[in-house]
Amino acid sequence: MKILRVIPSMDPKQGGPCQGIRNSIPAQEKLGVINEVLTLDDPASAFLKQDNFIINAIGPSNGPYSYCSGLKDWLKNNLERFDLIIIHGLWQYHSYTTYKIWRELKRKSRKAPSIYVMPHGMLDPYFQRAKSRRLKAIRNWIFWKLVEGNVLNKTSGVLFTCEEELLLARQTFSPYNPRLELNVGYGIQPPPYFKHIHSADFLDSCSGLDHKNYWLFLSRIHPKKGVDMLINAYTQLEQENPHLPSLVIAGPGMETAYGKYLRKLAEGKKIYFPGMLEGNSKWGAFYGCNAFILPSHQENFGIALVEAMGCKKPVLITNKVNIWREIDEGNGGLICDDTVSGVKNMLQKWLNFSSDKKLKYGENSYKIYQSNFEIEHASYKMIEAFKNNYNYERTVIN
């Protein structure tokens, strides 16, 4: 089987989807599956040189819609080389254009590949209901009626990373009638074994933090991640408990208006902003923290969250993180509402636990990772889903 992954960008700063691709391709190679990536990035981008699989970079793209003049011709000349296409993400030029060229090929040839859409949480109703996104919600509704509804309803099927994402997607747009809904799961590569250089590099990256008594948030700095809510909850708790662990908030985006607002909000607190962490520094941050916190208002999966679980860390999250059920059922952490009071009460509850109980949560967290989110398991599940639906698709999708 040969798969083409179509995605606007493979820049690690863009968040989880590109990292998910980087995690899954090596694991699928072990199953005999060949992958290529088609991206609208500038081929001279430095971040494209780190990967060992084929990346066809045909950009750069332009504007918020990520228009790329070379996309149509590339697809027309190459689609027939593949057995299956996965469109990663929605609302940009790559999704409808890939669907359109595939549809043209489908009308001409019975040898056209299968094509699936992986929305990566972009069908979550949060994006249509959030007050800060009213104009974007209107835009998305128009796009749905004119463009994206066809992409979701007329391709071979839609791929979801977990059951919660699948169920939430049914609440957002209409008509919503995909031919197939497949929960294919998601996973990460196993974290590296701990080395002292991990801690040393992290402490070098996090200026001012000279100890290991800290809680960790590590993700893209964005309003939907609830970082302002976390800082406010932490501030309230610190007034009641001066011996509170420090708080490390790591991730790209601190140069944005929201990032600058967070710095101001955290002034005078034991809160550190080391920026984006990679390599040894990132793993040092995971291994050294007391707990990992992800207070998102919407989170489809949370790769950094699962990486923390792979490092045997307990996780403290909101019930808007789509894998919260697995974590709750396995006692791998604490779950709260996505409010300041909810986060504060969760942190207070965590503080009151004994050291042994905290350690047990970390052990449970690792077991959940092993059972649900190891990349080999997720890759096998995805490929089996494709194989099981192959005959159905050849019969029904015309």
Side-chain angles (χ1 to χ4, degrees):
M1 181 183 292
K2 191 169 186 179
I3 299 176
L4 175 67
R5 314 287 196 105
V6 186
I7 188 170
S9 178
M10 287 293 286
D11 187 344
K13 293 182 180 180
Q14 296 301 314
C18 62
Q19 186 58 43
I21 289 175
R22 289 188 168 98
N23 285 334
S24 65
I25 286 180
Q28 289 184 358
E29 285 182 353
K30 296 177 182 178
L31 300 174
V33 176
I34 300 171
N35 282 266
E36 289 187 24
V37 173
L38 174 62
T39 177
L40 311 185
D41 291 310
D42 186 329
S45 300
F47 55 79
L48 296 177
K49 296 176 173 58
Q50 63 179 310
D51 301 299
N52 295 322
F53 49 83
I54 296 174
I55 299 180
N56 303 283
I58 59 171
S61 59
N62 298 300
Y65 191 48
S66 296
Y67 172 76
C68 181
S69 60
L71 180 59
K72 287 184 178 180
D73 286 341
W74 195 97
L75 292 169
K76 289 177 180 178
N77 294 331
N78 289 275
L79 276 192
E80 289 183 282
R81 295 196 291 114
F82 299 93
D83 301 300
L84 190 143
I85 306 161
I86 302 176
I87 300 170
H88 289 269
L90 299 171
W91 313 121
Q92 293 182 298
Y93 182 70
H94 75 294
S95 60
Y96 182 71
T97 301
T98 304
Y99 160 75
K100 184 178 178 180
I101 301 303
W102 170 81
R103 196 71 181 176
E104 291 174 2
L105 177 62
K106 191 75 175 175
R107 294 191 184 104
K108 299 175 183 177
S109 173
R110 283 285 179 181
K111 295 182 180 179
S114 309
I115 183 168
Y116 291 85
V117 182
M118 196 163 193
H120 294 281
M122 294 181 186
L123 292 178
D124 194 299
Y126 162 84
F127 296 109
Q128 292 302 103
R129 298 172 183 171
K131 293 180 180 180
S132 62
R133 292 181 49 89
R134 286 176 179 172
L135 291 178
K136 290 183 178 180
I138 294 171
R139 177 205 64 183
N140 286 356
W141 185 257
I142 295 171
F143 263 62
W144 178 266
K145 293 295 186 181
L146 298 178
V147 176
E148 298 292 356
N150 288 324
V151 178
L152 269 294
N153 293 329
K154 295 183 179 180
T155 48
S156 308
V158 187
L159 310 178
F160 298 99
T161 59
C162 61
E163 189 69 15
E164 185 79 358
E165 183 196 4
L166 186 155
L167 296 174
L168 288 171
R170 296 173 179 174
Q171 304 176 19
T172 311
F173 295 100
S174 64
Y176 175 75
N177 299 299
R179 286 174 162 138
L180 285 171
E181 294 175 301
L182 298 175
N183 174 13
V184 296
Y186 218 45
I188 65 163
Q189 296 286 348
Y193 291 110
F194 172 74
K195 297 179 181 178
H196 290 294
I197 193 173
H198 294 152
S199 293
D201 284 2
F202 166 62
L203 291 175
D204 286 343
S205 301
C206 194
S207 178
L209 183 71
D210 57 359
H211 56 82
K212 295 183 180 180
N213 185 28
Y214 64 91
W215 292 330
L216 174 67
F217 167 94
L218 191 154
S219 189
R220 186 165 54 98
I221 305 300
H222 188 277
K224 79 161 190 168
K225 303 287 184 176
V227 190
D228 55 322
M229 187 173 61
L230 172 60
I231 293 175
N232 284 325
Y234 181 87
T235 299
Q236 293 179 20
L237 201 59
E238 190 177 35
Q239 293 172 354
E240 303 166 8
N241 189 335
H243 302 294
L244 205 63
S246 298
L247 177 60
V248 174
I249 296 175
M254 290 305 300
E255 75 285 353
T256 64
Y258 181 66
K260 293 174 182 177
Y261 165 69
L262 295 180
R263 282 193 186 277
K264 188 172 183 179
L265 198 62
E267 285 180 357
K269 311 297 188 302
K270 296 187 298 183
I271 300 177
Y272 300 85
F273 298 94
M276 185 174 180
L277 299 177
E278 298 181 283
N280 288 339
S281 296
K282 182 183 80 169
W283 296 113
F286 281 131
Y287 276 116
C289 71
N290 295 347
F292 182 86
I293 306 174
L294 187 60
S296 292
H297 298 296
Q298 189 281 328
E299 194 75 39
N300 182 51
F301 180 79
I303 286 179
L305 166 66
V306 178
E307 287 177 333
M309 295 169 69
C311 296
K312 300 184 179 180
K313 295 301 172 178
V315 293
L316 313 180
I317 65 173
T318 67
N319 54 15
K320 298 302 186 294
V321 177
N322 282 350
I323 60 172
W324 72 269
R325 297 181 191 277
E326 289 87 341
I327 293 169
D328 190 42
E329 291 172 3
N331 289 317
L334 299 182
I335 319 295
C336 71
D337 292 332
D338 60 328
T339 62
V340 173
S341 61
V343 174
K344 179 189 174 185
N345 291 338
M346 176 176 66
L347 296 179
Q348 182 64 68
K349 183 178 180 179
W350 181 254
L351 280 173
N352 293 337
F353 285 161
S354 67
S355 298
D356 288 344
K357 190 167 186 176
K358 291 176 181 177
L359 182 62
K360 184 62 177 178
Y361 270 101
E363 293 171 352
N364 291 341
S365 178
Y366 183 67
K367 291 177 182 176
I368 298 167
Y369 155 73
Q370 288 182 307
S371 301
N372 296 276
F373 306 127
E374 280 190 328
I375 190 60
E376 286 79 7
H377 171 77
S379 296
Y380 178 80
K381 184 177 180 180
M382 176 182 282
I383 299 306
E384 284 301 298
F386 293 147
K387 290 179 179 178
N388 292 338
N389 288 286
Y390 179 83
N391 291 331
Y392 162 85
E393 185 181 343
R394 283 291 182 265
T395 302
V396 176
I397 311 297
N398 295 313

